[in-house]
């Protein structure tokens, strides 16, 4: 078995490959690491066949759909997962066959209702059900402490004590542990009974993960994150530097249309000399009267350089093939001390 653990902050994902058939699987991929999974698989001569999410994540953005699309793999999740873009839904007791490897599915609800563990040879991938010296939390959507108690004490902890435990999260840099070690020393497991465990979990009072709304929205719908929308727009447009734009303004050639896509009050309180106002929200509707010549060079600008990127991508889509976005926003433009004009358009 070829095995690679990929750590990003507290998230852990895994690439497992069969040496004989060169088939591989990625478990719990994270959106910032897509190129890494593909690169590691390529380096080891592996073809990724399956991309598995052990559960619906609330604290990070799953890359399953995107990664699977890129490499032509199947997205695998538990039968009841709310995620819509799943190719193969599996049940408790099912086996996912990856070349000569057999991944045994163990339904272990509690952290979420759709949580599952995967047992492969000498190790178990526990998702967020069992962590090193901890357990997944049960206070997020579809979490349930009683269910987690059953999943832990009646299923996971009854596995071979020598099995290596690889969780989906680890915050202290440890790579893995074993079922036996967790049984002996995991503080959350040293409880007398179910009631004690439920009380313990209920008293944790953890803060909400950052991005929970966006993570649940995108992971449960297959929709895009804001960062993804911006990255896709940025990949479609060239940018122009402050220096180049200023050289143009100073040269007085007036070859570029500077399009300020902020709202009117922001524009009035200070804009790039010669800039025209066309708020992003009105762009499509007013483009015909404001920008009659699609061959003109257009530079979009906004406060932080993000909305202007979306605006330039929209303009390109509408046929303005020379639309570019300013690399940076008005905030930096002012801070550097570049010239600004106050008031409305003449
Ligand atoms: Fe989780």
């Amino acid at each position: 078995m070829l095995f690679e653990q990929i750590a990003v902050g507290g998230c852990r994902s895994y690439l497992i490959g069969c040496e004989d058939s060169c088939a591989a699987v990625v478990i719990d991929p994270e959106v910032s690491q897509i190129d890494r999974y593909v690169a590691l698989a390529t380096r080891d001569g592996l073809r990724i066949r399956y991309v598995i999410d052990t559960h619906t994540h609330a604290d990070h953005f799953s890359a399953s759909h995107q990664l699977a699309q890129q490499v032509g793999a199947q997205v695998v999740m538990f039968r009841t997962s709310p995620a819509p873009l799943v190719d193969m839904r599996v049940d408790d007791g099912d086996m996912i066959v990856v070349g000569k490897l057999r991944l045994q599915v163990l339904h272990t609800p509690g952290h979420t209702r759709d949580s599952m563990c995967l047992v492969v040879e000498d190790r178990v991938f526990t998702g967020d059900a069992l962590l090193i010296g901890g357990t997944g939390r049960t206070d997020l959507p579809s979490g349930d402490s009683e269910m987690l108690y059953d999943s832990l004490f009646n299923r996971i902890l009854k596995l071979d004590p020598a099995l290596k435990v690889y969780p989906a999260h680890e915050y202290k840099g440890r790579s893995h542990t074993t079922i036996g070690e967790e049984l002996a020393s995991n503080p959350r497991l040293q409880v007398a009974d179910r009631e004690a465990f439920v009380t313990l979990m209920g008293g944790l009072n953890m803060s909400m993960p950052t991005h929970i709304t966006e993570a649940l929205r995108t992971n449960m719908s297959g929709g895009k994150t804001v960062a993804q929308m911006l990255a896709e727009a940025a990949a479609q447009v060239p940018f122009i530097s402050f220096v180049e734009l200023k050289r143009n303004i100073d040269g007085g050639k007036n070859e570029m249309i500077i399009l300020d896509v902020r709202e009117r009050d922001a524009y009035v309180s200070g804009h790039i000399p010669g800039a025209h106002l066309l708020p992003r929200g009105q762009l499509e509707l007013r483009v015909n009267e404001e920008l009659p010549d699609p061959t003109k060079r257009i530079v979009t600008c906004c406060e932080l350089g993000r909305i202007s990127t979306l605006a330039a991508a929209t303009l390109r889509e509408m046929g303005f093939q020379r639309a570019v976005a300013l690399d940076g926003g008005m905030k930096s433009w002012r801070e550097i001390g570049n010239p600004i004009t106050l008031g409305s358009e003449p």
Side-chain angles (χ1 to χ4, degrees), residues 55 57 59 111 128:
H55 64 286
H57 302 282
D59 54 358
H111 170 61
D128 284 356

Side-chain angles (χ1 to χ4, degrees), residues 123-192:
R123 57 201 67 193
V124 54
F125 299 90
T126 52
D128 284 356
L130 177 63
L131 307 178
I132 300 177
T135 69
R137 57 197 292 177
T138 52
D139 59 337
L140 298 179
S142 93
D144 185 311
S145 308
E146 302 227 9
M147 277 186 184
L148 184 59
Y149 180 87
D150 284 328
S151 294
L152 287 168
F153 287 90
N154 298 330
R155 305 220 64 186
I156 301 171
L157 299 172
K158 292 211 165 137
L159 295 168
D160 180 353
L163 269 189
K164 293 176 188 153
V165 172
Y166 286 95
H169 286 289
E170 162 55 26
Y171 302 96
K172 292 182 180 164
R174 298 162 290 192
S175 95
H176 66 282
T177 177
T178 65
I179 295 283
E181 282 165 38
E182 290 310 308
L183 260 173
S185 63
N186 186 326
R188 296 236 181 118
L189 305 180
Q190 315 307 312
V191 286

Side-chain angles (χ1 to χ4, degrees), residues 11 14 18 37 56 63 67 73 107 117 119 141 168 175 179 209 220 226 245 249 256 267 269 282 286 296 323 343 346:
C11 292
Y14 302 92
C18 165
Y37 304 121
T56 303
L67 176 60
H107 184 215
C117 293
V119 181
S175 95
I179 295 283
M220 290 171 77
V226 175
L245 179 58
I249 296 169
M256 291 179 179
Y267 175 89
S269 68
Q282 299 172 24
R286 283 178 48 197
K296 276 270 163 45

Side-chain angles (χ1 to χ4, degrees), residues 262-271 277 341-345:
R262 297 174 299 167
E263 294 302 315
R264 177 170 292 276
D265 49 355
Y267 175 89
V268 169
S269 68
H271 54 263
L277 170 69
T341 304
L342 305 179
S344 9
E345 283 180 280

